[in-house]
Amino acid sequence: MKRKFTIKSLISIKKKSTNLWQLLQKLTRVFYVVLGVWLIFTTITLVFASSQPVDAFFVLGGSIRRETYVAQQAKQYPQTPILISHGSPDPCIRLIFPAELAELQNVWLENCANSTFENFYYSIPILRRWGVHKVMLITSPSHLPRAKWMAQILLGAHGIWVEPEIVQELGIPGNRESWSKTGLDVTRSLFWAILSQIIQPQCSNVTRLTEVDMQAWEHRGFHCEHQGGLTR
């Protein structure tokens, strides 16, 4: 009886394993079909978006010259919203825009990000809420090609076309790019491109530029990067 029970158990286990394997194969096929449809739809969306005008400026923090550049763009395109992801201190950005005779109303500061990956992590939900289809990505040569590739992967996954704008820095930049850093960020961007379709992180520190309290900052004290050429 013990032998019969063992044989029957083995047959049952083998049958369950076969059924599980068949189920996994079906789920895999469904996943590839869904992925294929999504890629086709996203590609069509990107092709259409590429021919449209820029409907948002997206600044990656790291150099005050990037914010000076976007302020100059704001003077020409005052209706286009601007999102600056963890850039210079808030009061420094607040001083840049009047210095460039640019409007402040359409500028938002996202201060949750602490890395290039988090620039996109926290900013994508904001850009999606704005209904953006084409962004001008403002960064510097010292941030390439990593920032460009990450933008094309992460923003492209949401049907947002990326138009890079490279702003030259003065002097020797503080950061250094490496292929190991680039490889790591590009790899996790590929995973997040899929996960971000259902997960929408929310930054609790998003400030409109017009709401920056300059009196409080003057009392607290602040320092602006010398490349900004700001006088206080």
Side-chain angles (χ1 to χ4, degrees):
M1 292 293 293
K2 188 174 182 180
R3 180 180 176 80
K4 287 184 178 180
F5 176 76
T6 303
I7 293 173
K8 286 182 179 179
S9 298
L10 289 172
I11 293 173
S12 176
I13 292 172
K14 185 177 181 180
K15 186 179 293 185
K16 288 180 179 179
S17 298
T18 302
N19 291 338
L20 180 59
W21 176 246
Q22 290 175 343
L23 177 61
L24 288 174
Q25 286 181 316
K26 290 179 181 178
L27 290 175
T28 301
R29 285 195 291 268
V30 170
F31 171 76
Y32 280 123
V33 169
V34 172
L35 181 62
V37 171
W38 173 66
L39 287 173
I40 291 171
F41 176 78
T42 302
T43 300
I44 294 172
T45 303
L46 286 173
V47 170
F48 175 76
S50 67
S51 62
Q52 303 302 306
V54 168
D55 49 10
F57 296 111
F58 180 33
V59 184
L60 301 181
S63 169
I64 199 168
R65 287 181 60 80
R66 303 174 194 176
E67 290 127 13
T68 300
Y69 178 84
V70 81
Q72 294 167 353
Q73 294 299 304
K75 185 164 55 177
Q76 299 180 56
Y77 307 99
Q79 301 306 316
T80 303
I82 297 170
L83 178 60
I84 301 174
S85 180
H86 204 158
S88 301
D90 292 2
C92 298
I93 301 175
R94 178 65 176 77
L95 290 171
I96 287 172
F97 277 74
E100 295 293 335
L101 304 178
E103 296 293 330
L104 311 176
Q105 284 76 10
N106 279 338
V107 186
W108 282 261
L109 312 177
E110 176 272 297
N111 288 314
C112 290
N114 288 304
S115 67
T116 305
F117 179 80
E118 289 186 354
N119 287 147
F120 297 101
Y121 180 87
Y122 288 110
S123 295
I124 286 174
I126 299 173
L127 294 172
R128 290 187 64 181
R129 284 199 301 272
W130 289 358
V132 171
H133 297 292
K134 184 176 182 178
V135 301
M136 177 180 288
L137 178 76
I138 299 174
T139 185
S140 302
S142 61
H143 213 181
L144 298 174
R146 184 167 55 98
K148 179 181 177 182
W149 290 347
M150 293 174 69
Q152 290 172 336
I153 293 170
L154 291 167
L155 294 176
H158 293 275
I160 301 174
W161 183 264
V162 178
E163 184 176 293
E165 188 66 27
I166 312 305
V167 180
Q168 296 294 327
E169 296 175 354
L170 298 177
I172 301 174
N175 63 306
R176 290 288 188 277
E177 294 293 290
S178 67
W179 285 111
S180 59
K181 181 195 291 186
T182 298
L184 175 62
D185 273 351
V186 168
T187 299
R188 61 175 172 171
S189 294
L190 290 169
F191 285 102
W192 188 247
I194 297 174
L195 293 176
S196 63
Q197 303 298 319
I198 54 176
I199 303 175
Q200 296 292 302
Q202 300 300 313
C203 175
S204 59
N205 191 4
V206 178
T207 306
R208 198 164 188 167
L209 190 55
T210 53
E211 297 173 356
V212 174
D213 190 340
M214 291 301 293
Q215 287 187 343
W217 276 102
E218 288 286 354
H219 179 73
R220 188 186 316 173
F222 62 93
H223 173 73
C224 300
E225 191 178 345
H226 73 278
Q227 291 192 77
L230 299 172
T231 57
R232 294 162 42 213

